Amino acid sequence: MNLTKKQNAAIVGMILGDGYLQPTGKNNARLRLEQKASHADYLEWKMKLLPKLFQGGVEFLERIHPITKKTYHYARKQSNATPILGKLREIFYPNGKKQIPINLEKFLRDEIAFAIWFYDDGYYYPRDKCSYIYLGNVSEKEANIASKAVDRKFGIKNKILDKKNKGFVIYFSREESKKIKTIVEKYYVPIMAYKIPS
């Protein structure tokens, strides 16, 4: 299966964001994408970027929170299994747990990687006109790798903040958020427009 530079970068953006690479056998993996049900259009947009990997429609499911008993509705889709995703799993899940590889910059081959990553894990704070990408449960070393890769690859200056219980975030000032807007608007998805810095 041959994928374009843009498609490979899109997959990396999904892996950095909400995507999960599930192993299927020794050398293969598949990409599982999940969004809240109201963002199903965004999930379909991702699928259309990768028509060789995704066939059929979005699946809808619900989960009941074990403590609050509140019902949550999700949209989900799993890709076909392929060695291409198997190799990426070796890089991004070296010990079975997702981590940011030291050579991340090498995989950010197109701006679409950043756009998807920001749609998934980014946040724009209107009051201060600044932006964040939440990195979740990563080490400080991984956070710094991500920070430097974004600066070097896309020219977006940033710094790492420790949000304690929320983990590390990449922080972008008002001026740098304007650069984010320029990139993300190239891949405009109406349902996700609220995330684009204004």
Side-chain angles (χ1 to χ4, degrees), residues 148-161:
K148 288 174 183 174
V150 168
D151 184 0
R152 290 174 183 163
K153 199 69 184 182
F154 306 114
I156 309 174
K157 304 292 181 189
N158 62 81
K159 62 182 178 181
I160 293 297
L161 301 179

Side-chain angles (χ1 to χ4, degrees), residues 14-198:
M14 294 174 203
I15 295 168
L16 289 168
D18 295 334
Y20 170 66
L21 283 177
Q22 180 182 26
T24 56
K26 186 177 179 182
N27 299 313
N28 291 356
R30 63 184 168 207
L31 180 60
R32 187 175 74 203
L33 302 178
E34 202 169 271
Q35 309 289 151
K36 59 184 178 181
S38 61
H39 286 179
D41 286 354
Y42 174 50
L43 178 52
E44 290 179 350
W45 177 81
K46 287 179 176 178
M47 291 164 54
K48 286 175 183 174
L49 293 172
L50 302 163
K52 293 179 181 177
L53 289 177
F54 292 97
Q55 277 87 44
V58 173
E59 301 158 12
F60 291 91
L61 61 151
E62 61 181 41
R63 292 195 189 107
I64 299 174
H65 193 282
I67 297 171
T68 65
K69 303 302 179 186
K70 186 176 178 180
T71 301
Y72 293 89
H73 299 273
Y74 292 87
R76 175 196 278 180
K77 191 63 181 178
Q78 295 192 133
S79 76
N80 299 328
T82 169
I84 293 172
L85 296 176
K87 288 176 182 175
L88 285 171
R89 182 174 167 83
E90 289 175 10
I91 294 161
F92 285 89
Y93 294 76
N95 301 306
K97 176 181 176 290
K98 184 159 78 172
Q99 71 178 47
I100 295 171
I102 194 165
N103 59 344
L104 174 64
E105 187 179 342
K106 170 186 170 184
F107 298 97
L108 300 175
R109 298 173 61 199
D110 188 276
E111 288 179 336
I112 197 170
F114 181 84
I116 291 172
W117 189 10
F118 191 80
Y119 274 145
D120 280 8
D121 291 338
Y123 176 75
Y124 175 62
Y125 193 46
R127 192 190 74 181
D128 296 337
K129 295 181 167 50
C130 61
S131 304
Y132 302 88
I133 290 179
Y134 285 82
L135 298 174
N137 186 26
V138 302
S139 67
E140 187 172 3
K141 178 183 177 182
E142 290 172 79
N144 282 309
I145 290 168
S147 168
K148 288 174 183 174
V150 168
D151 184 0
R152 290 174 183 163
K153 199 69 184 182
F154 306 114
I156 309 174
K157 304 292 181 189
N158 62 81
K159 62 182 178 181
I160 293 297
L161 301 179
D162 185 353
K163 291 285 191 178
K164 307 302 178 186
N165 292 340
K166 292 183 179 179
F168 291 102
V169 302
I170 308 177
Y171 165 81
F172 305 94
S173 68
R174 177 185 299 210
E175 283 305 309
E176 299 305 310
S177 292
K178 292 176 183 175
K179 297 177 184 176
I180 293 174
K181 176 182 172 70
T182 299
I183 291 174
V184 177
E185 280 188 334
K186 294 176 185 176
Y187 306 99
Y188 184 77
V189 182
I191 195 69
M192 304 303 289
Y194 72 98
K195 288 206 173 193
I196 301 175
S198 59

